[in-house]
Amino acid sequence: MTLMRITEYPAAVLSERGKPVKTFDEKLVELCSDMFETMYAAEGVGLAAPQIGLGLRLFVMDCDGIKLIAANPEIIEVEGEQTGPEGCLSVGKVPAVLSRPFAATLRAQDEHGNWFERRAEGYAARAFLHETDHCNGILFIDHLPRLRREMVIRKFRKEKTRR
Ligand SMILES: [Zn+2]
């Protein structure tokens, strides 16, 4: 197991669309287990490949009873709305209130390349959406109005200098 360094805003890889995962081999399985370890060590509930500096469409999550690996993720259906705090390991977990759909259906491949669909509600749906966004080069702060976005970035920078 290897703990990876978490890539932080404003690294370019975080705002680039990831490349598709094409090879489902032992290396990918290992990468995913390292990503889980890194996520747990950082006390996160999801981690996408761009967050460890890899421009790949891949994420892992363990949130609200849903633990999965998603390669080439897509959100195929959303329903309703929820509003609540959200944060990101790449933005120092500085929270901001954000509206998202209440439920989301994810379509992705597992570490062996098998396609699956999974529906989630509430917090886990939020994780599906947040992590799929990462694979598309979108950060949660990109959904915020400009002033609130700048506030989160300022707070993150301030906390970073204290670390
Ligand atoms: Zn994130």
Side-chain angles (χ1 to χ4, degrees):
M1 297 285 193
T2 317
L3 283 188
M4 283 139 153
R5 211 175 132 255
I6 292 178
T7 304
E8 293 184 319
Y9 175 87
V13 68
L14 292 173
S15 53
E16 288 160 4
R17 190 180 159 86
K19 292 198 173 66
V21 175
K22 286 182 180 156
T23 313
F24 294 87
D25 57 4
E26 204 44 48
K27 260 190 184 163
L28 183 74
V29 173
E30 233 171 81
L31 171 66
C32 292
S33 83
D34 289 343
M35 285 171 69
F36 271 119
E37 285 308 302
T38 304
M39 179 189 85
Y40 291 133
E43 293 175 8
V45 296
L47 186 74
Q51 295 185 277
I52 49 158
L54 290 176
L56 266 184
R57 300 181 54 73
L58 175 71
F59 73 76
V60 301
M61 74 173 247
D62 187 352
C63 175
D64 231 7
I66 298 185
K67 181 179 177 180
L68 55 78
I69 290 167
N72 304 319
E74 276 173 74
I75 299 296
I76 55 171
E77 210 183 331
V78 293
E79 281 170 67
E81 196 183 299
Q82 60 175 321
T83 301
E86 193 167 318
C88 179
L89 295 175
S90 294
V91 196
K93 295 190 198 165
V94 175
V97 171
L98 182 64
S99 291
R100 295 269 199 188
F102 173 71
T105 305
L106 171 78
R107 183 172 185 270
Q109 284 167 285
D110 67 14
E111 68 274 38
H112 307 296
N114 303 310
W115 286 97
F116 65 90
E117 283 180 21
R118 187 87 193 252
R119 185 180 182 277
E121 295 181 349
Y123 194 30
R126 193 178 274 279
F128 278 181
L129 294 155
H130 181 115
E131 301 308 329
T132 301
D133 271 356
H134 270 304
C135 297
N136 294 326
I138 298 163
L139 292 175
F140 84 108
I141 53 173
D142 296 334
H143 295 295
L144 298 173
R146 190 174 59 88
L147 286 177
R148 283 181 47 221
R149 183 180 196 275
E150 283 168 7
M151 223 166 70
V152 171
I153 292 166
R154 254 204 319 275
K155 214 166 161 193
F156 165 56
R157 291 207 166 115
K158 217 166 142 188
E159 284 179 11
K160 212 175 155 173
T161 57
R162 271 195 233 127
R163 269 190 245 159

